[in-house]
Amino acid sequence: MISKEQYFYLRQLNDFKYLTIEQFDDIVSKIQYRKALKNHTLFFEGDHRDKLFLIQSGYVKIEQADVSGSFIYTDYVRQDTVFPYGGLFLDEAYHFSAVAVTDISYFRLPMDLYEKHALQNVNQMKHLCRKYSKLLNVHEIKLRNMVTSSARMRVVQTLATLLLEVTTEEGCLPFPITTIDIANMSATTRETVSHVLKELRQEEIIELNHKKLFYNDKQYFKKFIE
């Protein structure tokens, strides 16, 4: 069971507010609330896709490796949104792994129940379509990043995408990030990332302190995500 405060918290989120009260209450009756420490794995790539997750506090990193293990797709999940949406109504297994990069509190709910009620609700399906469109726009930006021949530009555009997706009002990433993470997201080497970060720090565009990334000049990055 969840608390009254949690009930109203969930109800006001876009991922639930278009459902009827009856549909929402049916889902809530099956929702589980959990807390976990940093490095906890929510699910592994290839696991049976039977749960949706919602992060209330903290952050989660998602990763997907190719067959050889030489390429790793990395992304981050923002708070207050249900995930994963990729494969909704279609896939039987998760496409990637999800690991907490901070201590987290989260909800998990049955995939089939959410899909059932979403399909019966036009407004909820409109919301899902809008959400897919926004996700597609972000991934188009990332694809544009990956086809850029300049490794330096790929690193800069990766930092710009992080600014778009998860940065806080204070202008910093709310979780630690390593040069390896940025290299995986930029399809380049750790050495290249270190060199680019050094240049950006010297130009006072960013700061990097104990794996905490601060954006001193947001306008510099915003031109790469418009």
Side-chain angles (χ1 to χ4, degrees):
M1 294 291 292
I2 63 174
S3 68
K4 181 178 179 180
E5 290 75 14
Q6 290 171 332
Y7 178 95
F8 288 110
Y9 158 74
L10 292 169
R11 184 58 177 164
Q12 57 84 33
L13 296 176
N14 287 336
D15 291 302
F16 296 105
K17 73 178 185 181
Y18 300 102
L19 297 169
T20 66
I21 289 295
E22 292 76 15
Q23 290 172 330
F24 179 68
D25 285 348
D26 190 25
I27 291 174
V28 164
S29 69
K30 306 296 192 303
I31 282 180
Q32 299 171 317
Y33 176 72
R34 296 286 186 271
K35 292 184 178 181
L37 299 177
K38 179 181 177 181
N39 296 323
H40 173 74
T41 300
L42 294 177
F43 54 84
F44 290 98
E45 180 180 356
D47 282 353
H48 180 55
R49 191 177 181 276
D50 60 347
K51 294 287 191 300
L52 285 168
F53 296 83
L54 187 148
I55 308 302
Q56 183 178 25
S57 66
Y59 290 84
V60 168
K61 178 169 68 173
I62 60 176
E63 292 183 329
Q64 181 186 47
D66 66 1
V67 176
S68 68
S70 59
F71 172 78
I72 299 177
Y73 169 80
T74 302
D75 207 345
Y76 294 90
V77 178
R78 67 171 66 224
Q79 297 172 340
D80 301 334
T81 185
V82 171
F83 85 102
Y85 269 131
L88 203 64
F89 309 113
L90 180 65
D91 294 331
E92 297 295 327
Y94 295 110
H95 293 171
F96 46 75
S97 301
V99 181
V101 292
T102 64
D103 293 349
I104 59 172
S105 61
Y106 65 96
F107 300 89
R108 63 182 187 184
L109 56 145
M111 179 82 64
D112 56 353
L113 194 60
Y114 188 86
E115 290 177 336
K116 170 188 172 183
H117 289 311
L119 281 172
Q120 296 172 349
N121 189 298
V122 173
N123 290 326
Q124 188 66 25
M125 288 302 296
K126 285 174 65 177
H127 162 69
L128 291 178
C129 289
R130 288 193 295 265
K131 187 161 186 174
Y132 270 122
S133 294
K134 291 178 181 178
L135 288 172
L136 180 60
N137 180 58
V138 171
H139 283 287
E140 286 174 346
I141 293 173
K142 292 180 178 180
L143 180 61
R144 184 182 66 195
N145 174 15
M146 289 299 104
V147 299
T148 301
S149 59
S150 167
R152 182 186 188 281
M153 190 58 65
R154 292 201 300 273
V155 174
V156 172
Q157 290 180 342
T158 292
L159 297 179
T161 303
L162 285 170
L163 174 64
L164 171 67
E165 291 189 283
V166 293
T167 190
T168 63
E169 291 183 2
E170 291 76 17
C172 67
L173 291 185
F175 49 78
I177 192 167
T178 67
T179 53
I180 295 176
D181 292 328
I182 299 173
N184 288 335
M185 298 176 73
S186 308
T188 188
T189 65
R190 180 179 179 180
E191 290 73 21
T192 297
V193 171
S194 296
H195 180 71
V196 174
L197 293 180
K198 181 180 179 181
E199 287 183 349
L200 295 174
R201 291 171 68 184
Q202 289 175 342
E203 296 171 15
E204 299 185 348
I205 295 172
I206 64 166
E207 291 180 29
L208 192 59
N209 188 13
H210 299 295
K211 299 181 183 179
K212 198 72 173 289
L213 178 64
F214 295 84
Y215 291 85
N216 294 335
D217 187 353
K218 292 183 181 181
Q219 292 302 318
Y220 174 84
F221 292 101
K222 285 184 177 179
K223 60 188 176 185
F224 296 103
I225 52 180
E226 293 177 347

